[in-house]
């Protein structure tokens, strides 16, 4: 299993970024893929997750209305569109994957996800 994130960077508050997570080594449709973030001194938290088979999504309250998760089955890629970014969104963002049956009850808990990418830094300046 391999997950490769891209798209992080430095952006001013109010700006936008799109993160990509390219997946390989497993049957894409059988999995759930999520975006998680970890800021210095804080626990890793679930941002937004998607079940590939039916496209059902979960989004943390802190990013609802600003972030959108989507998938491209043809490219085995999951995206996180981040708009109206705030300084408090600054963190290392990770994508992770797990068999979707594992996360039926907790769709976006980082403790349930088995495979992780290397992370990409997102920095939002005020």
């Amino acid at each position: 299993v391999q997950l490769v994130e891209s798209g992080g960077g430095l952006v001013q508050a109010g700006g936008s970024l799109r993160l990509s997570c390219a997946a390989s080594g497993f049957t894409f449709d059988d999995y759930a893929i999520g975006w998680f973030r970890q800021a210095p001194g804080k626990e890793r938290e679930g941002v937004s997750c998607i079940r590939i088979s039916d496209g059902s999504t979960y989004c943390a309250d802190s990013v609802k209305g600003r972030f959108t998760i989507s998938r491209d089955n043809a490219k085995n890629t999951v995206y996180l569109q981040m708009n109206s970014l705030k300084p408090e969104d600054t963190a290392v963002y990770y994508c992770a994957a797990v068999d979707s049956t594992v996360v039926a009850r907790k769709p976006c808990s980082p403790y349930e996800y088995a495979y992780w990418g290397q992370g990409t830094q997102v920095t939002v300046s005020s």
Side-chain angles (χ1 to χ4, degrees), residues 13-14 16 26 46 56 77 86:
S16 298
F26 59 92
S56 60
T77 299
K86 304 175 181 180

Side-chain angles (χ1 to χ4, degrees), residues 41-53:
K42 294 188 176 181
E43 290 189 0
R44 192 168 297 187
E45 63 173 343
V47 175
S48 191
C49 299
I50 186 168
R51 185 165 59 195
I52 301 301
S53 60

Side-chain angles (χ1 to χ4, degrees), residues 3 8 11 19 26 28 34-35 45 51-52 54 56 58 62 68 77 87 95 97 99-100 103 106 110 116-117 126:
L3 301 167
V11 65
L19 305 183
F26 59 92
F28 196 60
W35 285 99
E45 63 173 343
R51 185 165 59 195
I52 301 301
D54 62 6
S56 60
Y58 165 91
S62 58
T68 303
T77 299
C95 75
D99 186 300
S100 61
V103 290
K106 295 181 179 180
W116 291 80
S126 57

Side-chain angles (χ1 to χ4, degrees), residues 91-106:
V92 178
Y93 283 70
Y94 300 88
C95 75
V98 69
D99 186 300
S100 61
T101 58
V102 173
V103 290
R105 295 185 178 182
K106 295 181 179 180

Side-chain angles (χ1 to χ4, degrees), residues 2 21-22 39 46 54 89 102 106 108 114 117:
Q2 188 173 20
C21 174
D54 62 6
D89 295 318
V102 173
K106 295 181 179 180
C108 215

